[in-house]
């Protein structure tokens, strides 16, 4: 391609979604949700935890593949990427920067702080305000941004007054270091307590077809227009198994089980923002194509009762 054509292309407005662009960028079809009312994302996102080493510790076995997954995610129309300081630790954020910086317009990176890592598969809540502030500063540096789009408190640390943890998030927002605030693994009372100190834009709780104990939190978020980010949307792969409970419905619809699990989530609430994780381009492509499925009411019910 000549340099002139490249320059023209660079300045062209993004194409309006058409059938062809939808096929190339299927995440667009998952619909849009505005985080905090002013930060629009396509609802099907990507979780970048699986890009690190075993036990979410250290470097990935295949670094080139991890970079390829992130770049392909954006090509597919994904513009919400979830990560955390503790994934690796630091490795996931560093990979995101390496793969995508300078970030294409509209790409939203949500990160988290509040869990210290003391070894592979070991996570320790650590919510002292000075630590949360340090981790925010370090994520700004690692991600290469002046402001973090979405900064989530990974866990409320029971050893530290919750209001102090919410308070430092409010301060960081006032200082312009973070745009929106999210919480993770919280109940309705905790969201309301945080909401008295800082505006809560998203909640990230474990939720999938097979694990629905946060149904009340989801309903609350839907009513309040708070983004609900279900982690383990595929039950860490169990819902994607070819011989799993979803296979019969998947066969009937000519889809893969993982796609059914994700389409069910997307249909469940307009505030639902699934972030399936994978270390493989093939699985990423398969998962993103779930945006093209629209389950009818009877299939939704059949799945809920399966
Ligand atoms: N807030 C929290 O406390 C919290 C906790 C955990 C996770 N999270 C976030 O939630 C995101 C999602 O969770 P997750 O990644 O652990 O679990 P998940 O999305 O439920 O499942 C990921 C697992 O499923 C496999 N998989 C993905 N797509 C597949 C497909 N199409 N077919 C077959 N297998 C497939 C992956 O293996 P392959 O790599 O082989 O594809 C991986 O082992 C994380 O990346 C992270 O951002 C947050």
């Amino acid at each position: 391609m000549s340099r002139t054509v490249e320059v023209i292309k660079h300045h062209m407005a993004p194409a309006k979604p058409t059938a062809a662009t939808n096929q190339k960028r299927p995440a667009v079809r998952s619909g849009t949700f505005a985080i905090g009312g002013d930060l629009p994302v396509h609802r099907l996102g990507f979780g970048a935890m699986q890009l690190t080493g075993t036990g979410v510790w250290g470097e990935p076995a295949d670094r080139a593949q991890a970079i390829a997954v992130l770049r392909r995610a954006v090509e597919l129309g994904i513009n919400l990427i979830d990560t955390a300081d503790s994934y690796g630790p630091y490795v996931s954020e560093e990979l995101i920067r390496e793969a995508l910086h300078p970030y294409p317009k509209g790409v939203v990176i949500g990160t988290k702080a509040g869990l210290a890592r003391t070894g592979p598969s070991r996570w320790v809540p650590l919510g002292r305000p000075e630590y949360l502030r340090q981790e925010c500063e370090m994520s700004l540096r690692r991600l290469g941004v002046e402001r973090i789009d979405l900064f989530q408190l990974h866990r409320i640390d029971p050893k530290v007054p919750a209001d102090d943890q919410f308070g430092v998030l409010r301060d960081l927002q006032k200082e312009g270091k973070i745009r929106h605030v999210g919480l993770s693994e919280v109940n309705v009372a905790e969201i309301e307590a945080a909401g008295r100190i800082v505006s809560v834009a998203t909640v990230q709780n474990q939720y999938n077809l097979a694990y629905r104990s946060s149904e009340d939190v989801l309903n609350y978020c839907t009513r309040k227009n708070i983004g609900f980010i279900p982690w383990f949307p595929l039950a860490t792969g169990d819902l994607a198994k070819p011989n799993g409970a979803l296979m019969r419905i998947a066969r009937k619809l000519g889809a893969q089980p993982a796609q059914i699990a994700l389409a069910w989530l997307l249909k469940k609430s307009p505030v639902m923002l699934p972030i399936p994780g994978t270390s493989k381009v093939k699985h990423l492509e398969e998962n993103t194509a779930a945006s093209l499925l629209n389950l009818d009411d009877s299939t939704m019910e059949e799945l809920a009762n399966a």
Side-chain angles (χ1 to χ4, degrees):
M1 192 182 340
S2 77
R3 170 142 172 78
T4 320
V5 174
E6 256 177 37
V7 169
I8 293 170
K9 279 198 149 184
H10 184 72
H11 290 286
M12 277 190 329
K16 286 219 171 82
T18 61
T21 49
N22 283 344
Q23 290 302 328
K24 283 190 185 158
R25 305 179 72 234
V28 174
R29 285 273 295 278
S30 63
T32 300
F33 176 79
I35 293 176
D38 64 4
L39 191 59
V41 291
H42 300 137
R43 289 199 300 131
L44 189 81
F46 174 71
M49 188 180 83
Q50 304 287 347
L51 298 180
T52 65
T54 308
V56 197
W57 190 258
E59 291 291 324
D62 185 344
R63 192 176 176 86
Q65 172 85 327
I67 299 281
V69 165
L70 286 161
R71 292 188 176 149
R72 186 76 185 118
V74 172
E75 278 172 13
L76 293 169
I78 287 174
N79 59 8
L80 172 61
I81 297 177
D82 179 77
T83 184
D85 60 343
S86 50
Y87 297 166
Y90 314 140
V91 173
S92 173
E93 289 184 334
E94 286 163 0
L95 284 166
I96 290 169
R97 182 183 182 152
E98 185 181 333
L100 301 175
H101 195 278
Y103 303 107
K105 200 169 180 306
V107 167
V108 169
I109 316 284
T111 194
K112 315 183 196 78
L115 286 175
R117 298 301 308 278
T118 56
S121 304
R122 285 163 62 184
W123 310 79
V124 183
L126 184 47
R128 290 202 336 253
E130 62 271 31
Y131 177 69
L132 297 177
R133 177 174 283 279
Q134 172 191 295
E135 289 307 282
C136 173
E137 289 289 352
M138 296 310 288
S139 288
L140 283 165
R141 196 190 285 181
R142 275 189 300 271
L143 290 169
V145 293
E146 287 182 4
R147 184 171 65 161
I148 292 169
D149 286 330
L150 177 64
F151 191 67
Q152 305 159 92
L153 181 61
H154 215 151
R155 287 293 182 277
I156 298 174
D157 182 349
K159 304 183 297 304
V160 176
D163 284 2
D164 292 357
Q165 299 171 67
F166 306 144
V168 73
L169 300 177
R170 175 206 51 212
D171 295 348
L172 290 166
Q173 191 177 47
K174 276 194 183 151
E175 292 162 28
K177 292 177 192 277
I178 64 184
R179 182 160 173 183
H180 290 300
V181 168
L183 302 174
S184 177
E185 280 311 294
V186 285
N187 59 36
V188 171
E190 288 166 334
I191 304 170
E192 290 190 328
R196 287 192 277 277
I197 292 175
V198 66
S199 179
V200 177
T202 61
V203 165
Q204 183 169 148
N205 279 12
Q206 184 174 2
Y207 185 85
N208 58 53
L209 194 44
Y211 183 90
R212 283 180 257 164
S213 66
S214 278
E215 201 80 46
D216 59 332
V217 176
L218 170 62
N219 291 338
Y220 179 85
C221 289
T222 306
R223 279 201 310 280
K224 302 281 183 185
N225 207 33
I226 293 172
F228 183 87
I229 305 176
W231 61 267
F232 284 176
L234 301 173
T236 55
D238 277 0
L239 290 171
K241 281 187 183 147
N243 54 354
L246 300 183
M247 197 56 210
R248 194 177 51 77
I249 292 169
R251 269 209 198 100
K252 199 168 82 183
L253 298 176
Q256 295 297 323
Q259 295 173 328
I260 302 294
L262 295 170
W264 181 84
L265 284 170
L266 286 169
K267 180 88 176 194
K268 185 89 175 123
S269 165
V271 306
M272 187 77 82
L273 311 173
I275 46 161
T278 178
S279 55
K280 301 188 177 72
V281 170
K282 181 180 173 292
H283 285 165
L284 172 78
E285 290 173 347
E286 187 176 299
N287 296 344
T288 314
S291 309
L292 305 172
L293 284 174
N294 188 8
L295 303 181
D296 61 23
D297 291 345
S298 71
T299 310
M300 285 296 287
E301 213 178 305
E302 201 180 336
L303 284 165
N305 299 326

